Each structure stands twice: as C-alpha cells, then as structure tokens.
Amino acid sequence: VQSYKDESGKRRHVKIGRTTDMTFKEARARGAQIRADVLAGGDPQSEAMALKATMTWDVFFTKHYQPYIDNRKRSKRNDISLHTNHISPAFGSKRRDRVTRNDVEKLHQAMFDQGLAASTCNHLIKIMRRAYNYAIENGLVKDNPVAKIKAFPEHNKRQRILTPDELHQLTAVLKSDDNRIACNVILFLLATGARVSEALKANWADIDRDGRTWTIHAANSKSK
C-alpha cells in the first residue's frame, strides 16, 4: 500500500498489489510512480473510484466475481449459466451501480412468465444478492438492490403413492434384507404412519403391548 496526501491534505492510501503477484522491486517502482503522479497533480484514489463507478455488470461479474467463486462454489457453473443466459442480456452493459431493485424484480418476473421454474427464477436473486454483497465488501458499490426482493414460493414436492404390487415388493425386501435396523424402522413407519422423528424418539416404555397402543409424548410430536 502506498500512502499520499490529496489536494485537501487528507491522507489517502492506494493498494499497489499482493506480494504473491509482484516482486519487492516492482512494488517500489509502482510506489514511486504513484508518488510522481501525485506531485504532478494527479489523485490515484479518485482515478480508482472513477474506474469503479463506470464498471459495467459484465466487467464486474467476469473480472471480479467469477474469479472469486471459481474455487469457492461447487454450483459456479449454474451461476455462470444463469448470468450468460439471463442476467448479462438484461444488465451486461449497464453500470452495476445503476442496476435498481425494480430492474431485478422485472427480470425475476419475466423469467417466471417465460415458464421457468420458481427455483430457477429464485436462483437469479441468490446469485445477484451474493454478487452485490461481495461488491460492497470490496468497496465497489454502497448498496445492494437485491437485498429485500422476495422469492417466489417453490412447490417442488410431489406425492407418490405406491401401487399394491410395489408395496408387496417393498415389504418383501424389508422383511428379508440384512439391514434389520433400517428395515424395522421403515416397517414401523409404514404400519403406523408416524413421522420419522417420532419413531426414532420412541421408547419401549411408550409401547403398551397388551393394549396394542403407542403413546407419543407432546415433546416428541410436531403438533404437540
């Protein structure tokens, strides 16, 4: 880091680079260049801020955010795909500090209207929210326009009922497989219709064999 004083006499600092990216000799030369620019009337910090202010979304994503997630996110391919197919066409050439909440909400809705799954549309919100948080942490923007955008409800669950033949095959396996603990738990669930957590927390003291009843205590019941 090279320090200097701007025209108002305020002490400022400008980052030269990482020790892993340049030699000490190169860093000294860069520091000398910065001091020379200041003596000539320049302000490296204002120049850096001006560069940040004009950065487009595409430049920010490809030059800053994508390298950041390369070794940090397993789902980076999904992020890059969504950026390429949807975010970039909408905001690519726009300054990333000019993208508004309304802009993102319109894209979010447009993707849903095109028939894309709610989860895919919501992934747009997650990607942009994380990207803007990264930009804020690195001083590239001040606000996150995606922070309070609400996701669409996701109804990804589907009910699957076994046919009599499938149920017969399942019970045959459960009665013969070597993994008796797992099989007995599943048979118990099939026979009672209980929740998994209720079955796993059951004690022999809760079972009345003579009365053929099982008492589920309120503490172990979701509905209390």
Side-chain angles (χ1 to χ4, degrees), residues 91 101-113:
F91 310 131
R101 173 176 176 172
N102 187 49
D103 291 334
V104 181
E105 286 179 332
K106 285 183 177 179
L107 178 59
H108 189 218
Q109 184 63 52
M111 291 172 60
F112 188 74
D113 292 341

Side-chain angles (χ1 to χ4, degrees), residues 58 82-92:
D58 270 353
L82 199 59
H83 166 261
T84 301
N85 295 322
H86 299 282
I87 304 176
S88 181
F91 310 131

Side-chain angles (χ1 to χ4, degrees), residues 194-209:
R195 293 185 174 91
V196 175
S197 61
E198 294 172 344
L200 296 179
K201 292 177 182 178
N203 294 307
W204 282 113
D206 304 329
I207 307 295
D208 180 355
R209 294 193 178 186

